[in-house]
Amino acid sequence: MTGWLLAPVLVPLTAAALAALGRRSQLLQRGLAVASVAVVVAAGAALLTATTTGRIPVTALGGWPNRFAIVFAADPLAALLVTTTGVVALAVLGAAVGTAEDGHPFFHPLVLVFIAGVCGSFLTADLFNLFVFFEVALTASYVLATLAATRRQVRAGAVYIATNLAGSLLLVTGVAWTYAAAGTVNLADFAGGAGRLPAVAGAVLLVAFGVKAAAFPLGGWLAVTYPDLPRSIAALFGGLLTTVGVVALYRILALALHARLRTPLLAVATATIVVGALAALGRRAPDEILAFQVIAQVGFMILGAGLFGPAGLAAGVFFVVQDMVVKTAAFLSLGGARDVTGHDAGATLERARPVLAFAFFLVVLSFAGLPPTSGFVGKLLLIRAAFAGAQYAVAALALVGSLATLAALLRAWRITFTAPRQEAPEPSTGPGPRRMRIAGAAPAATLAVLALAVGMFPAGLAEHAQRSAAWLVAPDRYAAAVLE
């Protein structure tokens, strides 16, 4: 099991190095990228199966005791997230390869480094190594965000890089403060004695993770950056980047702070939902509407951590996982519509590209929390947890945010797919029209249908989410497993 535990980090990093060395062969790069991400999916599935036994796979590197070594642990939450990361990354790679967005010789190496950093962030049991893997993913994302080097991308990338560097400075400050006060950065140590982590240091960590997650009032960088990214990069960031920050919030709150910052976190989550959804209502460009909706969805993701308890955390985990799939599908479908070529002037994309139109419509329903999508189940579980905790104002504002989301995204869908094109698009100079049509629609449609299937048959994901919550609310159990 140790091999499966390290594979989501080591395999993509090794493949990234080989792809960089073989950058003259695009076929080699594509094969390495797809094969390594397939290994990530297999490893995540194996780890997820292992967690059903009641024990979690743990390994320590360096020959030191677990308390001092570099420790990786795959609790149900980490295993579930690694599996979803692999699925999302496979869809993004499929779209990038099919539409020739992977033409840059360092596209695949950077994507693989990014995936390794994301998986490492989910699997590490050490606060400092969480910072390290976070920065591995972010460093790759800085280059990916500006890879095309257009003026708009460079300008937006400057905002993105500057904001996240400030967040990184806060994060390393919080880690140093924690070590100075507690003498350890091992998460299992905090799980056994949460009072050892000073409240101020914990608050600094939560602010740093809030920057990474794009929570209110620190999420403006996302709305500036995402609309100017290429389709595949926007989908990769939308599905994975903010999720790392949100999951880190879950970890630090459950293992080190427990409910001490629950009320402020609920306020941040609610404000992020409302501000993101209402800001989207004021935008007309579909790319900008979607970017602000990502911020609103971050609020729902954080809401589970703020509600805490078995019900709140299980609802939050369910929502986080399905939202990774839905947001990736959203960027792939909207980006695919933006790049459509080869249809008559005056025609609508709804008729010219019905698969893309259908995929984005499913995304709209899921973002708004309408049945029978996975977003409906996720939001229903969150609302039920809010009512169970007597958080009626939070539940009401979440419903208001969902209505605003529906209105904004329906407008984005109408503008994109039902408004006639005034001029015929320029002929494509890349792959042929048939290949572009299939590659532009298939990955988005696959993820959208997957999210629909989760909404119609939610029992499997709900069971894993409940198992994840059971570990999060029992920090002593996590400590015993990691430090044994």
Side-chain angles (χ1 to χ4, degrees), residues 17 36 109 125 139 149 216 235 243 252 297 353 442 461 470:
S36 62
T139 301
F216 177 83
T243 304
I252 196 68
Q297 298 306 300
R353 298 294 187 270
L461 179 56

Side-chain angles (χ1 to χ4, degrees), residues 350-447:
E350 183 184 14
R351 297 186 63 183
R353 298 294 187 270
V355 175
L356 278 176
F358 176 69
F360 193 69
F361 187 70
L362 288 180
V363 164
V364 171
L365 296 181
S366 194
F367 268 128
L370 296 179
T373 62
S374 60
F376 167 74
V377 179
K379 289 189 177 181
L380 177 64
L381 292 174
L382 287 171
I383 296 299
R384 288 177 58 183
F387 273 102
Q391 299 291 341
Y392 305 116
V394 171
L397 290 172
L399 291 173
V400 169
S402 294
L403 290 174
T405 292
L406 178 62
L409 283 177
L410 280 177
R411 186 168 76 243
W413 187 86
R414 178 180 56 81
I415 292 171
T416 303
F417 292 100
T418 66
R421 295 286 179 100
Q422 299 302 314
E423 297 179 1
E426 294 293 328
S428 174
T429 58
R434 179 176 176 80
R435 174 179 163 185
M436 286 290 289
R437 185 178 304 178
I438 296 173
T446 300
L447 291 180

Side-chain angles (χ1 to χ4, degrees), residues 298-350:
V298 166
F300 282 103
M301 293 162 76
I302 296 175
L303 189 57
L307 292 170
F308 211 72
L313 290 172
V317 171
F318 186 101
F319 190 90
V320 167
V321 172
Q322 67 84 30
D323 195 58
M324 294 168 69
V325 176
V326 172
K327 284 190 297 193
T328 306
F331 281 104
L332 288 178
S333 55
L334 192 59
R338 184 179 58 206
D339 296 340
V340 161
T341 61
H343 66 280
D344 296 332
T348 65
L349 284 184
E350 183 184 14

